[in-house]
Amino acid sequence: MIFNQWYVIAESKEIGAKKPIKITRLNQVLTLWRDLDGKVCCISDRCCHRGVSLSCGCLVDGQVQCPFHGFLFNGEGAVTLIPANGKNAKVPDSMHVKSYSIYENHDLIWMWWGDEDHKTEKPFFFEELSDYSYGSFKDEWNVHYSRAIENQLDAVHLPFVHASTIGRGNATLVNGPVVVMEGDLMTFYVNNIVDDGKSTPLKPNEIADYQKLFHLQFHFPNVWQNFISDKFRIFVAFVPVDEENTVVYVRNYQKLVTLPVFKQLINYFGSLSNKLILNQDKRVVLTQLPKKSELKMDERLIMGDKPIVEYRKRREELKSGKID
Ligand code: FES
Ligand SMILES: [Fe+2]
């Protein structure tokens, strides 16, 4: 995983103040809950006393109580009470587990994965989506998150994987695509056409007025949006679980309908359609080997794969720490 980044790790609605939850993210087994102020806390799930899973415990005064011997853990991962030693006993400083910085906004939870000294104030989000309402769902994919991301950067697969849905029309010839990188934000412009047997695809630098084309955006390390239209967007967060598993959070955002019941209906049906399309992707992507992509690997790429190549290059730069 790329170090020193904010990663979306969950949705706000998954974390409550009644009991802790256990999730694995970025290879770490974590306990999350809300404290008495509603702030999301995130600490390692393994009790420093004798290794029990803290998320099996309960919440007492906004802190997690280990189910084995009742040690209390606060949001910084520090033990604040060892019941067997008595309420007056001082708790040794060594009694703590790792804690993680959390940021919550847009009904999403981000976790800082990196050095605290390098932590940026807040993560990136497609802020314009604040004006939209959304429906959402989550799914688990048995692939490294790089493969799930690359699938959403892939202009070439549309007429094959999605022949019955968004890839209808047999537009198999891939012009470009044009990729514009602005820091960690990648925008790519797609222009697939039907092959008349005489044309060759245009190179990215031969496409005039590419800004008018259908486009999508990805921002490192793990968020993406599809500009369906001014009023409709699809958002995906690709959340790394471990080296072979990913959770995707998919939202269809819209601002066409704002009346409460109609809004919920349209958001619900939007989610159903996203599920159908994503299942078409999943069926294929789960068979890719290896499960994780790299800049240098045994694959023979073509011009239409440019967004994937640019993703791999930037990912490599960020992983090597050459870029802040
Ligand atoms: S194992 Fe957690 S308090 Fe003993
Ligand atoms: Fe797809």
Side-chain angles (χ1 to χ4, degrees), residues 60 187 193 196 203 276 283 303:
V60 176
T187 307
I193 56 170
D196 60 9
K203 297 193 177 80
L276 171 71
R283 194 172 62 86
M303 186 176 78

Side-chain angles (χ1 to χ4, degrees), residues 47 49-52 54 66 68-71 73:
C47 181
H49 179 217
R50 286 178 53 213
V52 154
L54 292 172
C66 179
F68 208 176
H69 312 101
F71 289 24
F73 291 81

Side-chain angles (χ1 to χ4, degrees), residues 66-119:
C66 179
F68 208 176
H69 312 101
F71 289 24
L72 267 188
F73 291 81
N74 68 17
E76 275 81 55
V79 175
T80 59
L81 175 68
I82 301 175
N85 290 353
K87 286 184 182 158
N88 289 324
K90 184 176 175 331
V91 177
D93 290 344
S94 60
M95 283 283 179
H96 65 85
V97 297
K98 188 166 170 44
S99 70
Y100 298 86
S101 294
I102 292 292
Y103 184 90
E104 181 174 21
N105 204 355
H106 306 288
D107 302 333
L108 291 168
I109 309 291
W110 280 263
M111 181 178 101
W112 177 252
W113 174 246
D115 298 326
E116 283 296 301
D117 307 348
H118 287 88
K119 191 169 78 185

Side-chain angles (χ1 to χ4, degrees), residues 151-152 154 157-158 161-162 166 277-278 280-281:
N151 173 59
Q152 300 301 336
D154 183 339
H157 80 294
L158 291 166
V161 172
H162 303 297
I166 52 171
I277 293 162
L278 216 71
Q280 293 181 323
D281 288 309

